[in-house]
């Protein structure tokens, strides 16, 4: 594979997960003769995440303050842009994503001229046993309906953080990336700008340790605000 690929891994208080995630990628690279580069964005962690990254000589960028998932991921895209990567893949540091599916989500970008891909739990019911909670699945369906209403395209896994993009979108995200609700908002923006997007079936694992950035009590608030944000994005004028 001639394309230069980097995995962007945002990490906030992932002391129990980050080393295992990193080693899974390194082992996969050796086994499959791949060469996925890695950059971990330590988003102002207050636990031992930084210590683990330094001790194990894991390439990373440490943010002085916690910027949230949007700011951390954008930092990764800035790094990818400045280092001339062809494809950037967002990859969670908590063990939910399986590195063996990276080849599947970058394939449409390399072979089918897609600009952006989303690793989806909901395309093939046999693919992923972990589907998230019932309440969150309902929220995802509602958000999906809003995106379809304004873009005419159905996106099933609207909150998936397992995503890949080409050089053009790396540049876009390096300079402009939302701090709140980044997955559904960027998906809506890209579709409105007529970028080619494809969902790819993947399997995900349940988080083993720590807590998700979206707490259960915030689900309704999250869904309402995402839908309002989608409306605001959808009514913008795009060149």
């Amino acid at each position: 594979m001639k394309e230069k690929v980097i995995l962007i891994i945002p990490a906030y208080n992932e002391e129990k997960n980050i080393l295992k995630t990193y080693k899974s990628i390194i082992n996969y690279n050796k086994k499959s003769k791949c060469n996925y580069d890695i950059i971990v964005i330590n988003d102002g962690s207050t636990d031992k995440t930084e210590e683990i990254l330094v001790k194990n000589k894991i390439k990373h960028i440490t943010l002085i303050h916690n910027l949230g998932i949007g700011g951390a991921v954008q930092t990764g895209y800035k790094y990818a842009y400045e280092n001339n990567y062809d494809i950037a893949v967002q990859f969670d540091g908590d063990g939910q994503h399986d590195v063996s599916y990276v080849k599947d989500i970058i394939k449409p970008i390399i072979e089918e001229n897609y600009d952006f891909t989303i690793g989806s739990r909901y395309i093939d019911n046999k693919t992923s046993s972990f589907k998230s909670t019932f309440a969150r699945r309902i929220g995802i369906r509602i958000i999906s309906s809003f995106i379809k209403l304004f873009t005419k395209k159905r996106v099933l896994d609207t909150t998936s953080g397992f995503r890949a993009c080409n050089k053009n979108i790396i540049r876009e995200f390096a300079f402009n990336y939302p701090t709140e609700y980044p997955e559904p908002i960027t998906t809506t923006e890209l579709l409105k700008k007529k970028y080619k997007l494809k969902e790819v079936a993947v399997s995900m694992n349940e988080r083993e340790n720590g807590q998700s950035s979206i707490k259960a009590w915030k689900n309704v608030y999250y869904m309402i605000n995402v839908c309002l944000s989608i409306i605001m994005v959808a009514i913008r004028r795009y060149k």
Side-chain angles (χ1 to χ4, degrees):
M1 183 176 65
K2 66 181 186 296
E3 289 79 11
K4 192 177 176 185
V5 179
I6 188 167
L7 274 56
I8 298 169
I9 307 178
Y12 176 66
N13 289 350
E14 294 289 359
E15 64 179 9
K16 295 181 180 179
N17 300 308
I18 194 62
L19 185 57
K20 182 178 178 181
T21 297
Y22 173 76
K23 285 183 175 179
S24 73
I25 299 167
I26 297 301
N27 291 337
Y28 181 82
N29 275 345
K30 290 178 181 177
K31 179 182 177 182
S32 304
K33 297 182 180 179
C34 290
N35 191 29
Y36 301 144
D37 288 342
I38 302 167
I39 186 69
V40 177
I41 312 300
N42 179 13
D43 189 20
S45 296
T46 57
D47 63 358
K48 295 182 179 179
T49 297
E50 177 71 13
E51 181 182 325
I52 292 167
L53 294 171
V54 171
K55 181 179 179 181
N56 291 277
K57 299 180 180 179
I58 300 171
K59 185 177 288 186
H60 67 285
I61 297 170
T62 299
L63 303 179
I64 298 173
H65 302 290
N66 176 248
L67 298 182
I69 186 66
V73 170
Q74 185 177 21
T75 301
Y77 279 116
K78 285 180 181 290
Y79 180 89
Y81 173 69
E82 291 169 0
N83 289 275
N84 200 34
Y85 280 91
D86 298 301
I87 298 174
V89 180
Q90 289 176 224
F91 195 89
D92 283 358
D94 58 13
Q96 289 194 33
H97 298 162
D98 184 339
V99 67
S100 67
Y101 284 98
V102 170
K103 67 181 187 302
D104 296 326
I105 69 169
I106 66 175
K107 184 177 179 180
I109 296 174
I110 296 170
E111 298 183 4
E112 302 172 50
N113 203 34
Y114 278 92
D115 300 296
F116 191 75
T117 56
I118 298 173
S120 177
R121 292 161 286 186
Y122 306 118
I123 291 178
D124 179 357
N125 287 330
K126 295 180 181 179
T127 301
S128 183
S129 57
F130 172 60
K131 304 287 188 181
S132 192
T133 64
F134 176 76
R136 187 164 178 180
R137 292 201 303 272
I138 293 297
I140 287 171
R141 289 177 187 174
I142 294 172
I143 294 168
S144 176
S145 297
F146 264 74
I147 292 176
K148 186 175 189 298
L149 177 65
F150 291 105
T151 68
K152 311 303 179 187
K153 181 174 176 64
R154 173 73 69 181
V155 177
L156 298 175
D157 203 342
T158 59
T159 62
S160 171
F162 195 8
R163 316 193 299 165
C165 65
N166 66 11
K167 215 165 196 174
N168 291 332
I169 295 178
I170 288 173
R171 185 182 187 281
E172 285 226 6
F173 285 171
F175 290 97
N176 181 30
Y177 199 80
T179 55
E180 292 190 293
Y181 325 121
E183 289 87 6
I185 298 308
T186 52
T187 297
T188 304
E189 287 183 331
L190 293 176
L191 289 172
K192 293 294 289 186
K193 292 180 179 180
K194 307 301 181 184
Y195 283 109
K196 290 179 63 180
L197 182 151
K198 183 175 185 177
E199 281 190 275
V200 179
V202 300
S203 178
M204 294 191 192
N205 307 307
E206 191 166 4
R207 169 188 275 272
E208 293 181 6
N209 300 288
Q211 291 184 326
S212 169
S213 59
I214 303 174
K215 307 296 192 300
W217 63 270
K218 288 185 177 179
N219 279 350
V220 174
Y221 174 83
Y222 173 88
M223 183 187 69
I224 292 171
N225 280 277
V226 169
C227 292
L228 290 173
S229 297
I230 288 171
I231 293 171
M232 294 301 294
V233 168
I235 62 178
R236 290 179 191 165
R237 291 182 180 271
Y238 293 98
K239 294 182 181 180

